[in-house]
Amino acid sequence: MLFPVYWMLNVSFTQEQDMRKSPPNLFPVHGTLDGYRAALTEQVPYLGTSVAIALGTVVLTLALSAPAGYALAKLRPRGAGVLNFLLLAAQMVPGIIMAMGFYAIYLDLGLLQSIPGLIVADSTIAVPFGVLIFAALMSTIPDELLQAARTDGASRLRTFWSIVLPMSRNGVVTVSVFAFLWAWSDFVFASTLDNGGAHEPITLGIYHYIGNNNQQWNAIMATAVFASIPAAVILVLAQRYVAAGVTAGAVKD
């Protein structure tokens, strides 16, 4: 699994004249930074667009899924079972079908080739997952804590904001990480809804780069390295929060 990552790094530092050596060099014997210089010059706008789309997707996903998960876990509305089923079913719909549906809608609304359009589209993948995660985690929060808040006069909104959400911080991190990664690596929505636009994400940047520079593989691999860094850093920093218990130590016996 790690070999393609290693080869990506190796080729990104390899000079063009050494690309077609047989057998190939296992390490960049005559290393060069030409690929990285070319990638920085030509791919930075794509990276900036991907950051904006990914962060927007995280914000929208949290804003929708956290309150919905709280409602399913603690308020227990009518039809909660049906809603859970629909959330599961929504994750089984192929992305290309959703993309074509969004294309027809965005064509009428004028949202094609726009960052807000991609944020909404990417959120449709992350929100159902986020609701299920938040509902599962928030259901483990002791009802005694919420009852104590109500006794002190806290409203449902205040209880959610001041008690439930802080205790669900590991869920917030988990949903944020997956929403960011889905938006960062999305290609189907980007190629369908934003291809040829003024602001394209890095997945389309790499795709166009391969077509336009199929001889400059060190620059292509350097672009892939830049695209991999944010995801790798986020996973390393967030791994302990993803695995941590939500309510550990919240209630003393």
Side-chain angles (χ1 to χ4, degrees):
M1 291 176 63
L2 292 177
F3 181 80
V5 178
Y6 149 72
W7 200 250
M8 175 181 69
L9 290 169
N10 179 38
V11 174
S12 69
F13 290 106
T14 301
Q15 295 185 3
E16 291 186 30
Q17 60 267 28
D18 295 334
M19 294 287 180
R20 293 174 176 81
K21 286 188 61 176
S22 182
N25 293 329
L26 295 179
F27 300 95
V29 179
H30 306 289
T32 179
L33 294 176
D34 291 344
Y36 286 91
R37 282 190 284 267
L40 281 174
T41 302
E42 302 176 24
Q43 296 295 310
V44 168
Y46 296 104
L47 287 170
T49 301
S50 284
V51 170
I53 293 172
L55 292 180
T57 301
V58 170
V59 172
L60 183 57
T61 299
L62 292 178
L64 295 176
S65 60
Y70 170 62
L72 289 176
K74 293 303 181 182
L75 304 183
R76 300 177 181 89
R78 293 181 180 179
V82 175
L83 182 56
N84 278 323
F85 173 78
L86 292 176
L87 290 172
L88 288 173
Q91 298 182 74
M92 301 177 187
V93 179
I96 187 60
I97 295 178
M98 298 177 65
M100 296 308 297
F102 273 117
Y103 185 89
I105 296 172
Y106 284 3
L107 192 61
D108 294 333
L109 297 179
L111 289 176
L112 286 176
Q113 299 180 345
S114 68
I115 292 178
L118 278 183
I119 290 174
V120 173
D122 289 334
S123 297
T124 59
I125 302 295
V127 167
F129 170 81
V131 173
L132 294 175
I133 290 295
F134 276 120
L137 294 177
M138 290 177 179
S139 64
T140 64
I141 297 177
D143 291 334
E144 292 80 3
L145 288 176
L146 307 186
Q147 182 62 43
R150 287 193 291 269
T151 302
D152 292 338
S155 64
R156 286 179 175 176
L157 181 59
R158 178 64 183 274
T159 301
F160 167 75
W161 183 259
S162 300
I163 296 177
V164 176
L165 199 58
M167 293 183 64
S168 305
R169 60 187 179 275
N170 297 315
V172 171
V173 174
T174 301
V175 173
S176 298
V177 167
F178 281 97
F180 185 94
L181 294 179
W182 278 327
W184 185 264
S185 61
D186 167 64
F187 180 77
V188 173
F189 286 143
S191 61
T192 304
L193 305 175
D194 196 29
N195 198 1
H199 304 286
E200 293 183 332
I202 189 62
T203 48
L204 288 184
I206 296 175
Y207 179 69
H208 296 324
Y209 211 36
I210 292 175
N212 296 332
N213 301 275
N214 56 6
Q215 303 298 321
Q216 199 176 0
W217 280 102
N218 54 4
I220 295 173
M221 292 301 182
T223 303
V225 171
F226 284 133
S228 303
I229 289 175
V233 171
I234 288 175
L235 285 174
V236 170
L237 295 178
Q239 60 179 342
R240 68 186 185 94
Y241 295 100
V242 173
V246 178
T247 59
V251 179
K252 294 183 180 179
D253 294 331

